[in-house]
């Protein structure tokens, strides 16, 4: 982010997709690996903002487990788990992290 600011100083930055898949296609709401991934990226984004980077938006990929063009239903990227048979939706651990970051407008160190 700081390199982008240096190379393109007048352009606001928006991260349009950032996330990671679950390690298996199984339905789960326990995703500490994704929560850790997101927390670390949020922390780095906060550091960049403090350094003057004009980061105006940050979007997590993806809200819901869904059909992925390259992977079909074999990977789950959502922060909300979707039971594909019943369509029941359940927020994952990573959704709780995102909620806390939004509410506080800050990310905790751990």
């Amino acid at each position: 982010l700081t390199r982008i600011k240096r190379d393109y100083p007048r352009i606001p930055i928006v991260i349009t997709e950032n996330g990671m898949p679950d390690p298996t296609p199984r339905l789960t709401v326990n995703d500490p690996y994704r929560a850790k991934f997101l927390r670390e990226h949020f922390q780095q984004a906060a550091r960049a903002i403090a350094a003057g980077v004009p980061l105006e938006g940050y979007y997590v990929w993806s809200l819901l487990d869904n059909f992925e063009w390259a992977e079909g239903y074999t990977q789950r990227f959502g922060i909300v788990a979707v039971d594909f048979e019943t369509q029941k939706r359940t927020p994952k651990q990573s959704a709780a992290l995102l909620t806390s970051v939004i509410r506080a407008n800050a990310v905790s160190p751990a």
Side-chain angles (χ1 to χ4, degrees):
L1 294 173
T2 55
R3 182 194 60 78
I4 294 170
K5 177 188 180 262
R6 183 187 68 238
D7 293 352
Y8 306 96
R10 293 187 180 96
I11 298 175
I13 299 170
V14 177
I15 297 172
T16 59
E17 292 184 3
N18 188 31
M20 65 177 295
D22 292 333
T24 72
R26 291 189 316 268
L27 180 65
T28 182
V29 295
N30 186 20
D31 62 348
Y33 41 84
R34 182 180 291 110
K36 180 180 185 291
F37 173 91
L38 291 173
R39 178 184 309 283
E40 290 172 354
H41 282 81
F42 295 156
Q43 289 167 338
Q44 292 304 316
R47 287 180 64 204
I49 291 167
V53 172
L55 181 59
E56 294 188 1
Y58 187 112
Y59 297 91
V60 173
W61 181 254
S62 164
L63 174 63
L64 300 171
D65 289 336
N66 59 3
F67 181 82
E68 293 291 326
W69 291 107
E71 303 298 332
Y73 290 111
T74 64
Q75 291 187 335
R76 292 175 177 264
F77 283 84
I79 62 171
V80 175
V82 177
D83 182 323
F84 297 133
E85 290 184 23
T86 66
Q87 293 299 301
K88 179 181 178 189
R89 289 151 167 82
T90 308
K92 297 180 185 180
Q93 183 179 352
S94 54
L97 168 69
L98 181 59
T99 300
S100 71
V101 169
I102 291 169
R103 280 191 179 135
N105 193 28
V107 59
S108 63

